[in-house]
Amino acid sequence: DNNMKSILNLFRDNEQGVRFCVIALIIVGTLNIYSASYVASGMGIAIRQVIWAIVGLGIMHIFSRINYLRTEEFGLWLTWISIGLCIAVRFIGVEINGAQRWLNLGFFQFQPSEIAKLASAWLAARYVGRTLRNGGQLGFVNKELGLIILMGIIVYFQPDMGTAAIIMAIGIMVYIIGGLNGKQIMTLAVGGTM
């Protein structure tokens, strides 16, 4: 326990620790991409990774300056946008490798299910934060978890079972970290196996 505290004391605050971890993951990820792709494509893929990492760090910096309480409602909007885009994939999506999960915007393609992952975390954090701030007891019968499950079901039928499981797991993990009791966790586990 004292070792962990001394490690945490290396950073002035939690934000600095998060930045360090993110930058360390970016470096390790970029080195892995470079190592895996150098023979086939040279430095191109690694350079693109670095460019997107810089963009991501900029966005992270912007969001770190915003009071998170002011962004709670954005999680709900992001969820509805994600649901709409995931449904749009069914009608106007591009099929790649036997699965229709991409939207083509002309200059690039993207998977709306990636937005659903972010929305799942944001929506679950919104519910957990509000419930705990108001002194309530966390439960798993609420509209937020229902919307997370809905996103997972829509993605499942793209078909993308792995991403659907990740979307639901992200939301459920936020609930567990937020303090669901053992009985509720077991109920979720049994429900998830059915």
Side-chain angles (χ1 to χ4, degrees), residues 30 39 70 74 76 95 100 107 125 129 131 147 193:
T30 303
V39 172
R70 296 180 62 194
F74 182 71
L76 191 57
E95 185 173 323
Q100 189 171 343
F107 53 96
T131 302
L147 288 170
T193 59

Side-chain angles (χ1 to χ4, degrees), residues 16-167:
Q16 189 178 12
V18 169
R19 278 196 190 109
F20 173 80
C21 290
V22 168
I23 291 170
L25 286 170
I26 288 171
I27 291 169
V28 170
T30 303
L31 288 173
N32 281 325
I33 288 170
Y34 172 76
S35 173
S37 65
Y38 182 74
V39 172
S41 63
M43 300 249 328
I45 295 174
I47 290 171
R48 275 193 311 223
Q49 176 71 12
V50 169
I51 291 168
W52 282 111
I54 291 168
V55 169
L57 286 170
I59 292 169
M60 182 180 87
H61 178 73
I62 291 167
F63 272 88
S64 73
R65 300 292 167 236
I66 299 171
N67 182 347
Y68 73 94
L69 294 173
R70 296 180 62 194
T71 66
E72 281 186 338
E73 289 306 313
F74 182 71
L76 191 57
W77 283 98
L78 189 63
T79 300
W80 287 113
I81 290 168
S82 174
I83 289 171
L85 290 173
C86 286
I87 291 171
V89 164
R90 186 80 172 149
F91 301 104
I92 60 172
V94 177
E95 185 173 323
I96 297 175
N97 296 328
Q100 189 171 343
R101 15 181 129 126
W102 298 81
L103 286 179
N104 187 351
L105 299 180
F107 53 96
F108 76 97
Q109 296 177 351
F110 80 102
Q111 285 184 286
S113 59
E114 296 301 318
I115 297 171
K117 292 176 188 176
L118 179 60
S120 176
W122 213 317
L123 193 61
R126 173 183 183 261
Y127 167 74
V128 169
R130 282 186 174 182
T131 302
L132 295 179
R133 270 195 315 276
N134 295 329
Q137 179 71 27
L138 291 179
F140 52 85
V141 179
N142 54 71
K143 69 179 179 187
E144 287 85 355
L145 187 57
L147 288 170
I148 290 167
I149 292 170
L150 176 63
M151 285 189 293
I153 290 170
I154 292 168
V155 170
Y156 175 81
F157 285 108
Q158 287 181 357
D160 192 353
M161 184 175 161
T163 302
I166 289 170
I167 289 167

